[in-house]
């Protein structure tokens, strides 16, 4: 698998091939800079807002991307490109004929190429979206784990060879803590075939990064079992180092602070000469190197860093390729803005070339006005030769006839999932979930196929979120078989944790970002591997916040999975403190591509769990979130309308037409609502009792109906409108949930009814449930007070 790639097609000599790679470099530098220039200075600007773009960030990784895309990558490799190099990536695809000129011209425009590579918006050529720095890098490690999982479970497509997962990272991405969480987790799972290529331009957004930082970082990588390859110097410098005085020159560069190096780069040849002569002018060897050079030549020598020397980059990538599957970090020294007028300037991150600078650059690139987008313009190659070269590039081969974004057959989900026998028992939704998953884990009958596709994961809360019985049935995944020592020693334990490549649970350390990155990677199994996984992740509800950016990132890529967060709210009363969650229902409402639910009872949960496994496979479906609780509730015996539960709410007691009041509850506060309702009915016999399973779905449906009506569909309506019609126009709606009451407050706007929303807007107090519900206004008295206030108007 890792054998070096044959270098050439017969007709192209090695030398010519390298020349053509240099031509491609020029082209990518030009096109990326021009795309951004066009968007900012040529295209009409309708709103006066800065369009932006990052010419300097693009310039620093031109050679790295050229080496990868035009020489080293194979179609089966999957890549995360650093966000600010989006235009370079688009330009590379343009040369391959996989990106249109129209999209390039429309960079950062509605419908045009996105500012940062986006799976959903830019289409199938993008393997991983990037934007929130650090996450695109880290997901490659988890994606590699999932690739192994798919392969070891025999689910991979036989026509696709195993590939490598590669990130091209900005050096400042390594400031993000999620990188180190991912490294540690990757080490535990013995992740293979991951490359992180760091564009080490020693600049972030604000400034030049501290010296010696990378010495530390290099050590960290090695400690985590990575190979580290430093690509520091290009061949010009290496040749100079071999001459008399060369060692002195090398030492001077090695000792040069990052900020000085950047400043000298910006200033150019004369400044280099002055600085070098001040320190090394008495060394005859050094003088013999420097003196014959023009300022431009000297500048070219001093900026000949490894990451700009395509032959060096290719050589190092190939060597790592041949060395095997060890995860490898390449530290490629570069200059931010290389080849552009603001090269090395510390403020260049968002710098844009002026019109005048662009004219000079255009001349330098031999581009005639009006020919800016021509692929051949300014190149020293015929169309036939360039085409021949591009056709010979390994990455030019199509991964599959359908392209890079794969499709997978749907896994059949039985009409109804087995429901635990709960009648007469007090059961929590969390325990109900655990029981149902354990039953699915038996894999009997029509559950067999579905069970084989479920992969669970949890950041050290597997047992405490009730995944234990499922794991006992299906085992823990590991690339290597590892025995359960406790079991072998016949020590009693409820958990059987033997690890095998067939296991279906991936155990993670406590790092919620890792959970969401892994869910994201597993949730992309269909487009990346052409097979379906049904990923399920469990986490404590408050700690969704801890991984929130990675959760949003997974949804942004349209990854499909089920998130189960439990326990939640202030209902885990004595546990108290920061384990209580208040804001999560609002997160569920505001998250795009994530359908969020909170059932009260196990019969609702059974409907929603089934729905989740189905919905995550639908073309216009999404990921699903179930917020659960450990509070044990009496389970009703009733017949539910699944469509209503899925749409977000159902009447437990229908209100009489024109009712003045209704009570609505969500989640584990159902008993308080039921008790209050019994008393309320003495006052208002027509009152209704509404079970809310998803303010998120109700709200989404309501927004959609409003948009449809404004768009001319006058009869468009939605579930929440239908639910609330039977109440009087000015009726009162007292709502209650164990979460921020704003999640329900909007219900009054649906039909102009008056909402009194109850729910904690503070948290952190320990106590038993009675005290806590009283303190936060969730007990029956509080509900009745709210009803009285509401009835009084
Ligand atoms: C999580 C996150 N925080 C902040 C930003 C804003 N931001 C964009 S780029 C950048 C610095 C990037 O520096 P580096 O990774 O070194 O990239 P390069 O120098 O190649 O442009 C920052 C802070 C972001 N995109 N994501
Ligand atoms: Mg940088």
């Amino acid at each position: 698998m890792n054998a070096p790639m044959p270098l050439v097609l017969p007709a192209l000599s090695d030398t010519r091939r390298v020349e053509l790679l240099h031509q491609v470099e020029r082209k990518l530098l030009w096109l990326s800079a021009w795309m951004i220039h066009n968007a900012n200075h040529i295209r009409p600007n309708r709103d006066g807002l800065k369009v932006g773009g990052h010419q300097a960030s693009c310039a620093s990784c031109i050679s790295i991307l050229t080496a990868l895309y035009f020489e080293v990558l194979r179609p089966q490799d999957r890549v995360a490109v650093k966000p600010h190099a989006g235009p370079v990536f688009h330009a590379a695809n343009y040369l391959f004929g996989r990106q249109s000129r129209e999209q390039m011209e429309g960079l950062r425009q509605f419908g045009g190429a996105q500012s940062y590579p986006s799976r959903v918006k830019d289409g199938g050529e993008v393997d991983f979206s990037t934007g929130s720095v650090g996450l695109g890098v880290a997901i490659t490690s988890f994606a590699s784990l999932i690739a192994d999982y798919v392969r070891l479970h025999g689910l991979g497509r036989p026509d696709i060879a195993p590939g490598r997962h590669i990130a091209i990272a900005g050096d400042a991405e390594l400031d993000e803590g999620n990188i180190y969480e991912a490294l540690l987790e990757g080490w535990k799972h013995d992740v293979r075939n991951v490359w992180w290529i760091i564009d080490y331009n020693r600049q972030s957004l604000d400034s030049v990064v501290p010296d010696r930082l990378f010495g530390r970082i290099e050590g960290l990588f090695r400690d985590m079992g990575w190979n580290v390859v430093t690509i520091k110097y290009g061949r010009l410098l290496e040749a100079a180092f071999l001459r008399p005085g060369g060692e002195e020159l090398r030492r001077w560069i090695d000792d040069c602070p990052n900020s000085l190096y950047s400043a000298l780069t910006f200033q150019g040849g004369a400044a280099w000469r002055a600085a070098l002569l001040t320190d090394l002018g008495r060394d005859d060897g050094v003088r013999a190197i420097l003196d014959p050079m023009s300022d431009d030549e000297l500048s070219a020598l001093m900026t000949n860093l490894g990451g700009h020397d395509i032959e060096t980059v290719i050589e190092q990538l190939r060597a790592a390729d041949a060395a095997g599957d060890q995860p490898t970090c390449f530290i490629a020294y570069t200059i931010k803005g290389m080849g552009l007028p603001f090269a090395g300037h510390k403020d260049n991150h968002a710098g844009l070339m002026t019109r005048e600078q662009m004219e000079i650059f255009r001349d330098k690139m031999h581009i005639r006005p009006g020919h800016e987008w021509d692929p051949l313009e300014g190149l020293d190659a015929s169309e036939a030769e360039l085409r021949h070269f591009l056709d010979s590039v390994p990455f030019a081969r199509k991964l599959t006839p359908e392209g890079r974004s794969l499709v997978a057959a749907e896994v059949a989900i039985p009409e109804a999932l087995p429901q635990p026998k709960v009648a007469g028992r007090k059961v929590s939704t969390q325990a109900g979930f655990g029981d149902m998953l354990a039953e699915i884990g038996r894999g009997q009958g029509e559950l067999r196929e579905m069970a084989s596709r479920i992969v669970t994961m949890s950041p050290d809360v597997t047992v405490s979120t009730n995944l234990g019985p499922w794991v006992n049935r299906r085992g823990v995944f590991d690339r290597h078989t590892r025995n359960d020592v406790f079991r072998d020693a016949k020590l009693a334990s409820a958990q059987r944790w033997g690890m095998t490549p067939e296991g279906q649970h991936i155990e993670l350390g406590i790092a919620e970002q890792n959970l969401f990155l892994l869910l994201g990677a597993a949730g992309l199994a269909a487009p990346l591997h052409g097979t379906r996984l049904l990923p399920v992740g469990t986490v404590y509800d408050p700690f969704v916040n801890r991984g929130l950016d990675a959760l949003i990132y997974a949804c942004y890529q349209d990854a499909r999975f089920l998130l189960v967060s439990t326990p939640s709210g202030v209902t885990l009363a004595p546990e108290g403190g920061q384990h209580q969650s208040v804001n999560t229902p609002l997160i569920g409402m505001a998250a795009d591509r994530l359908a969020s639910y909170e059932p009260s009872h196990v019969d609702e949960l059974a409907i929603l769990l089934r729905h989740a496994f189905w919905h995550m496979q639908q073309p216009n479906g999404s990921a699903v979130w179930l917020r659960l609780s450990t509070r044990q509730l009496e389970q009703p015996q009733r017949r539910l309308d699944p469509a209503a539960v899925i749409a977000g709410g159902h009447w437990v007691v229908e209100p009489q037409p024109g009712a003045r009041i209704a009570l609505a509850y969500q989640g584990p506060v159902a008993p308080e609502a039921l008790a209050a309702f019994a008393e309320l009915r003495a006052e208002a016999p027509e009152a209704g009792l509404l079970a809310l399973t998803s303010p998120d779905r109700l709200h989404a449906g309501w927004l959609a109906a409003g948009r449809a009506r404004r768009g001319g569909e006058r009869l468009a309506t939605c579930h929440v409108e239908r639910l609330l019609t039977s109440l009087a126009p000015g009726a009162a709606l007292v709502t209650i949930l164990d979460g921020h009451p704003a999640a329900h407050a909007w219900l009054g706007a649906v039909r102009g009814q008056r909402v009194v929303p109850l729910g904690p807007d503070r948290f952190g107090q320990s106590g038993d449930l009675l005290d806590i519900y009283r303190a936060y206004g969730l007990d029956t008295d509080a509900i009745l007070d709210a009803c009285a206030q509401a009835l009084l108007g």
Side-chain angles (χ1 to χ4, degrees), residues 421-454:
K421 305 258 174 299
V422 290
R425 276 205 295 146
K426 282 184 131 194
V427 185
S428 69
T429 45
Q430 177 179 310
F433 163 73
D435 288 352
M436 265 183 256
L437 216 58
E439 191 53 36
I440 294 169
R442 281 182 193 280
Q444 312 253 301
E446 57 178 350
L447 292 170
R448 191 190 172 86
E449 174 66 4
M450 171 183 155
S452 73
R453 299 305 180 106
I454 292 177

Side-chain angles (χ1 to χ4, degrees), residues 57 82 84 131-133 170-173 176 201 203-204 336 349:
S57 304
K82 72 169 187 173
H84 300 76
S132 178
V133 302
D171 49 347
E173 300 203 60
E176 286 286 1
N201 58 28
Q203 279 184 245
S204 58
K336 195 154 170 170
H349 181 75

Side-chain angles (χ1 to χ4, degrees), residues 168-181:
I168 299 132
D171 49 347
E173 300 203 60
L174 299 196
D175 285 336
E176 286 286 1
N178 83 280
I179 292 283
Y180 303 95
E181 295 177 356

Side-chain angles (χ1 to χ4, degrees), residues 149 153 189 456 462-463 467-489 491 493-507:
Y149 182 98
H153 283 78
H189 290 278
T456 58
T462 300
V463 175
L467 270 184
W470 155 268
V471 178
N472 284 343
R473 295 233 154 94
R474 311 299 294 203
V476 178
F477 171 73
D478 199 288
R479 293 179 55 246
H480 314 280
T481 299
R482 299 177 205 273
N483 288 352
D484 179 341
V485 174
F486 271 68
R487 200 169 161 72
D488 291 351
L491 298 171
S493 164
Q495 317 304 332
R496 294 194 287 277
W497 283 60
M499 299 178 182
T500 64
E502 294 84 46
Q504 282 181 251
H505 172 74
I506 303 179
E507 180 68 8

